Amino acid sequence: DHRDLHSFPTRCSSDLLAPYASPTGRTTYTTIVDEDKVEQFKDSLRLCPGVFQEFIAKQYELRVTVVESEVFAAQIDSNSALEVAVDWRRSSSDDIYKEHTLSDAFRAQLLRLHADLGLVYGAYDFIVDSDGTPVFLEVNPSGQWYWLEQRLGFPISESIARALQLPTNSF
């Protein structure tokens, strides 16, 4: 019934359903939602989906950009302020990035996943928890990367250009 659409909670939104930066300049950020709110609005959420995950205390986050077998890892100091601890994009223009060296085992595991998914390009996001364990959040096969090239000098554009020049049967 279309009348049910008017009963949505006003803050019902999903990061996956909203653009990173909308034409109006508004951005949807990740927020902490109490479990009782999810239960309270469970019927509405059926019509207004969201992605919910357990909150994990973290040391920092990683954005790992993979182009074919080239890996560019950036550490994001996502504990620099309280608002950044939930979603670092709230301070994305701050100096919170640095190059990160992945362990050989982690790099190999990531490249294996990348190949198994059949991706040429992927922007992988991880939380590194308080024990130092990387926790996979997502891979975006068209995720943003240029800001890392600008801030950290990663030659991601060159890697993408090389990948685009490969014969199509190699993908």
Side-chain angles (χ1 to χ4, degrees), residues 66-71 106-122 124 136 139 170-171:
V66 179
V67 183
E68 293 193 301
S69 62
E70 294 183 80
V71 178
F106 182 67
R107 185 179 188 284
Q109 185 178 20
L110 181 61
L111 287 173
R112 205 168 32 254
L113 173 63
H114 191 71
D116 288 348
L117 292 172
L119 296 175
V120 173
Y121 174 89
Y124 295 81
F136 177 80
V139 57
S170 68
F171 286 12

Side-chain angles (χ1 to χ4, degrees), residues 127-149:
I127 287 174
V128 177
D129 72 13
S130 55
D131 294 329
T133 304
V135 178
F136 177 80
L137 297 176
E138 69 172 339
V139 57
N140 187 335
S142 62
Q144 297 185 21
W145 50 266
Y146 190 61
W147 98 96
L148 292 173
E149 186 166 291

